Amino acid sequence: MTHVRIISFNTLFGGRKDDGLGDDAPWKAAAPFLKTLDGDFYALQECNFWDLLGQRRLHQAREQLGMASAYLAEANATTADHRFHTAMLTGPRWSVHGQGAERNKYHHVLGWANARLDDREDLWSIRHLHLNPFSPTHRAAEVEPLQPLAAPGRLSLVLGDANMLGLGHREPDWSPLPPHLHHTQLIRDEHGVLRADRTAADVLEGAGFVDAAHRVGDHRPTGGFGTGDVERRQDLFLLSPALAGAVVAYDVHAEPIDKGFSDHCAISLTLDCDLLPGATA
């Protein structure tokens, strides 16, 4: 098997109502849906309370999705005392050689893993993000350490809920965004017009990262579906140049929005490992 499938999804309070404390009907809808996407790797955000009771909800999710291992990157507490943990669930094709979490520089958390796929020698650098939703300046600082991962020959994947426009994403119509949220996304240009603050995206693009959706020309929105918000592509797969050449499919899955069990779409990425540098057919 040369293709590998990677899924990213914001669970919305871990798939439970009442900010993660209530009924689990959303997760009961999300789990079978995610399983149908047939991922070899799942990156999940907003996994509230998945740290409790020995990370019970994490391991229930691992079992439900048929994964071999799972890692919970435990997040900082927000001002509302939410802890938006992130989870990485890996199938049996992956061999994890190191993993961890970094909170000091991050509003929520950065989860990371270095892993090999199948019996291939190349080591992948995977960084799972849930960036600051409030501050473009902080988002730029959060992504600065990722720049070396785009170096020639490296197999690096940055994914998750970036809370910013994807690389190459067209300028949305920001008029529905209420004034109290302008600073979370916008900057006023030299003509006094409010436009997206792309500072963090420019850091990553300048380093050489490739946005999978932009590469295939798919700019469908993945978030921002709430009343007064702006639909936009903010759930991202960003790839080092060496990895970007292996993209064979990207898709946006709107079922979570259509059926009401999240406020984000899921996104999927398919890579053909035979297209990686040095691969032999």
Side-chain angles (χ1 to χ4, degrees), residues 26-93:
W27 179 253
K28 285 181 177 177
F33 156 72
L34 291 169
K35 181 108 183 254
T36 67
L37 299 183
D38 196 26
D40 298 291
F41 183 102
Y42 290 87
L44 306 178
Q45 302 94 47
E46 286 199 23
C47 299
N48 285 30
F49 300 108
W50 283 30
D51 57 316
L52 301 182
L53 297 174
Q55 302 183 350
R56 179 182 293 178
R57 293 181 187 175
L58 173 72
H59 292 290
Q60 287 173 337
R62 173 188 54 77
E63 185 174 23
Q64 290 164 331
L65 298 181
M67 295 291 100
S69 63
Y71 177 77
L72 192 72
E74 297 192 12
N76 296 308
T78 69
T79 54
D81 210 29
H82 299 303
R83 296 185 67 202
F84 288 147
H85 310 308
T86 63
M88 294 184 290
L89 293 81
T90 52
R93 298 175 61 194

Side-chain angles (χ1 to χ4, degrees), residues 25-259:
W27 179 253
K28 285 181 177 177
F33 156 72
L34 291 169
K35 181 108 183 254
T36 67
L37 299 183
D38 196 26
D40 298 291
F41 183 102
Y42 290 87
L44 306 178
Q45 302 94 47
E46 286 199 23
C47 299
N48 285 30
F49 300 108
W50 283 30
D51 57 316
L52 301 182
L53 297 174
Q55 302 183 350
R56 179 182 293 178
R57 293 181 187 175
L58 173 72
H59 292 290
Q60 287 173 337
R62 173 188 54 77
E63 185 174 23
Q64 290 164 331
L65 298 181
M67 295 291 100
S69 63
Y71 177 77
L72 192 72
E74 297 192 12
N76 296 308
T78 69
T79 54
D81 210 29
H82 299 303
R83 296 185 67 202
F84 288 147
H85 310 308
T86 63
M88 294 184 290
L89 293 81
T90 52
R93 298 175 61 194
W94 291 96
S95 174
V96 177
H97 289 251
Q99 61 188 5
E102 170 59 45
R103 286 183 293 274
N104 290 336
K105 193 177 180 68
Y106 294 88
H107 177 79
H108 292 306
V109 66
L110 168 80
W112 64 268
N114 297 326
R116 289 190 169 91
L117 182 65
D118 299 326
D119 57 354
R120 299 170 186 270
E121 293 185 1
D122 292 328
L123 193 68
W124 293 45
S125 300
I126 301 171
R127 302 296 182 263
H128 184 194
L129 294 176
H130 188 185
L131 296 182
N132 190 315
F134 304 115
S135 170
T137 302
H138 194 185
R139 285 195 294 273
E142 288 178 316
V143 303
E144 284 175 349
L146 305 177
Q147 296 175 86
L149 298 177
R154 291 198 68 163
L155 301 184
S156 302
L157 173 64
V158 177
L159 76 168
D161 181 356
N163 276 311
M164 67 178 186
L165 293 187
L167 311 190
H169 191 42
R170 65 185 181 279
E171 191 75 18
D173 174 10
W174 291 106
S175 58
L177 194 70
H180 70 276
L181 295 178
H182 282 179
H183 184 66
T184 68
Q185 292 291 331
L186 305 179
I187 191 170
R188 197 173 294 277
D189 67 16
E190 64 273 17
H191 304 292
V193 177
L194 288 172
R195 58 175 176 80
D197 189 318
R198 299 178 187 257
T199 307
D202 288 346
V203 169
L204 294 168
E205 189 169 25
F209 278 100
V210 176
D211 188 308
H214 186 51
R215 184 179 182 88
V216 303
D218 187 338
H219 293 281
R220 285 177 288 172
T222 66
F225 297 103
T227 302
D229 207 342
V230 174
E231 295 181 10
R232 55 195 182 271
R233 182 166 56 79
Q234 67 181 59
D235 302 270
L236 308 180
F237 293 121
L238 305 176
L239 304 98
S240 62
L243 199 59
V247 173
V248 293
Y250 164 87
D251 205 356
V252 176
H253 307 272
E255 187 169 342
I257 302 299
D258 295 340
K259 296 192 174 180

